[in-house]
Amino acid sequence: MNLTRCLVAAAALLALAACSNPAPPSGQVATMSTPGTSDTGKTAAATPSAEPDNGRPRERLDMTNEDLEALNAPYLACLTQNGSPKGRKGSPGSGPSAAPVDGQTDQQAEEKAEAACLSKSPLPPWELDSSNPHAADFVHAVVQCLRGKGVRYVDEEPPQGDREIYSFGGPQNDAASISKGMSLAPECEKEVAAKGIGK
């Protein structure tokens, strides 16, 4: 009889524990969907980032400037708390922003703070993440889209850090290509992502 009660109690505790897990914040779920894409496309895009991120936040292609600022705020606060010169206030144009902290140069302080805050540093969108084996295909397709929309000077570039990139303007820094490219890049990125390229 005691064994039966123990099993029933254990089953009840398991059921209670399964039901008591907190739901994901509603903001994360609501913002995952981009107009013109299917839910399965967004799920597939989010899946590759689940394991290798180690809890780090990740940018998305559909984020606004305000979204990006909010995503970066904890990282920047962490840098400041850990003595990064990026967080210190100095006089504009006066050279280094402040005296070194604990005898460290600005570069040493910045490196130490960045190492301490790595877990809060946002990763690029999965489509542009250099650890994504399909990111170069995504960049190539975006460059082709931009050229198709009339951006004259747009080129694929080698990855910078953890991000695949493309550039505008060519060797002469063509202002029209830079302006038009910057304006059309988000549209092309979303169009290419909607086709499943880079996932």
Side-chain angles (χ1 to χ4, degrees):
M1 190 79 153
N2 276 341
L3 180 61
T4 305
R5 284 185 184 172
C6 287
L7 290 175
V8 169
L13 284 174
L14 285 174
L16 182 60
C19 293
S20 66
N21 285 340
S26 61
Q28 288 179 348
V29 174
T31 58
M32 288 299 294
S33 178
T34 302
T37 61
S38 69
D39 288 336
T40 56
K42 278 299 176 183
T43 302
T47 302
S49 66
E51 292 178 16
D53 296 356
N54 294 323
R56 286 176 63 185
R58 183 175 291 282
E59 297 174 8
R60 292 186 325 272
L61 294 177
D62 64 346
M63 291 182 120
T64 65
N65 287 337
E66 292 79 18
D67 293 335
L68 290 170
E69 287 177 17
L71 186 70
N72 276 293
Y75 175 61
L76 296 175
C78 182
L79 289 175
T80 300
Q81 292 169 352
N82 283 279
S84 172
K86 292 179 183 177
R88 290 190 245 139
K89 304 282 186 211
S91 303
S94 64
S97 56
V101 176
D102 298 328
Q104 297 177 346
T105 65
D106 279 353
Q107 182 178 355
Q108 290 169 328
E110 187 172 330
E111 288 170 0
K112 183 178 176 185
E114 286 178 359
C117 300
L118 183 63
S119 66
K120 297 177 193 289
S121 175
L123 292 165
W126 178 245
E127 295 85 351
L128 293 171
D129 192 317
S130 58
S131 66
N132 173 358
H134 306 290
D137 297 334
F138 179 80
V139 168
H140 179 75
V142 170
V143 166
Q144 295 307 311
C145 174
L146 289 163
R147 287 181 181 154
K149 293 183 184 290
V151 179
R152 186 171 178 192
Y153 296 105
V154 57
D155 297 298
E156 299 170 47
E157 299 289 341
Q160 287 187 358
D162 58 3
R163 184 180 295 263
E164 294 282 340
I165 63 167
Y166 49 94
S167 65
F168 304 110
Q172 303 301 319
N173 283 330
D174 180 64
S177 291
I178 294 169
S179 176
K180 194 170 190 177
M182 294 295 287
S183 174
L184 293 172
E187 179 182 328
C188 279
E189 286 179 349
K190 289 175 188 171
E191 285 178 20
V192 171
K195 294 176 185 177
I197 300 171
K199 296 193 181 213

